[in-house]
Amino acid sequence: MCRVDSPIGQLTLVADDVGLTAVHFEDEHKRSIPRDLPIDPAHPVLAETARQLNEYFDGKREDFDVPLHLTEGTEFEREVWQVLATIPFGKTISYGEQAAAVGRPGGAQAVGAANGQNPIAIVLPCHRVIGADGSMVGFGGGVATKVWLLEHENGTQRLF
């Protein structure tokens, strides 16, 4: 585990020997981070993720290429999360479009719930999924953070 300061607050990164398992927002309370995880910023996956996140926030990176290890989630949730990895930097899709991509047309609410369980936010960019009417709904880091990330990717971000 290691912590990374960012423009959207402190992020906690968690990895195992296979890959990155989680990115937690500072105020995210829906998942607890095991207390016995050692703090190890030198862990190769954590160090590389921290470097890539810093590049992302500095406007020098659009894609992440760290190894991921999804250790939680149902089969459906994992399918939904795989679609997240295909959404290009600076682009958005609707929950309905994401539902169609996993073969569940009409399943926007189920997709929204699955996105809400995404353990690897930002790297698996659930912030790029919006309401069909363009509304900014639901995000583990808060809607203001979701808006900030999208504005950052489009070069229009404001300070909190």
Side-chain angles (χ1 to χ4, degrees), residues 31-151:
R31 291 184 194 92
S32 60
I33 300 168
R35 295 173 195 246
D36 60 345
L37 282 179
I39 295 177
D40 184 9
H43 183 286
V45 172
L46 296 174
E48 181 60 17
T49 303
R51 185 183 72 75
Q52 290 188 24
L53 281 167
N54 286 327
E55 289 176 353
Y56 169 82
F57 287 116
D58 287 343
K60 298 175 183 170
R61 174 173 288 276
E62 295 183 357
D63 298 305
F64 295 93
D65 60 5
V66 295
L68 305 181
H69 188 206
L70 294 169
T71 59
E72 55 188 77
T74 66
E75 183 177 331
F76 173 71
E77 287 172 333
R78 289 173 187 230
E79 288 175 20
V80 168
W81 301 337
Q82 287 175 356
V83 172
L84 296 173
T86 68
I87 306 169
F89 179 87
K91 303 294 182 192
T92 59
I93 66 170
S94 71
Y95 292 98
E97 290 169 318
Q98 189 180 14
V102 295
R104 298 254 183 121
Q109 283 186 316
V111 163
N115 282 346
Q117 296 303 310
N118 172 18
I120 307 177
I122 304 172
V123 175
L124 286 178
C126 53
H127 62 277
R128 297 180 188 154
V129 184
I130 62 174
D133 62 358
S135 60
M136 302 294 148
V137 292
F139 187 63
V143 172
T145 299
K146 180 175 190 162
V147 170
W148 191 96
L149 290 167
L150 291 172
E151 290 176 346

Side-chain angles (χ1 to χ4, degrees), residues 2-38:
C2 77
R3 292 190 171 85
V4 174
D5 290 325
S6 80
I8 58 171
Q10 190 175 72
L11 302 172
T12 300
L13 312 179
V14 182
D16 60 19
D17 292 336
V18 176
L20 183 68
T21 61
V23 175
H24 294 279
F25 293 99
E26 183 174 14
D27 296 327
E28 188 177 28
H29 299 291
K30 68 182 176 184
R31 291 184 194 92
S32 60
I33 300 168
R35 295 173 195 246
D36 60 345
L37 282 179

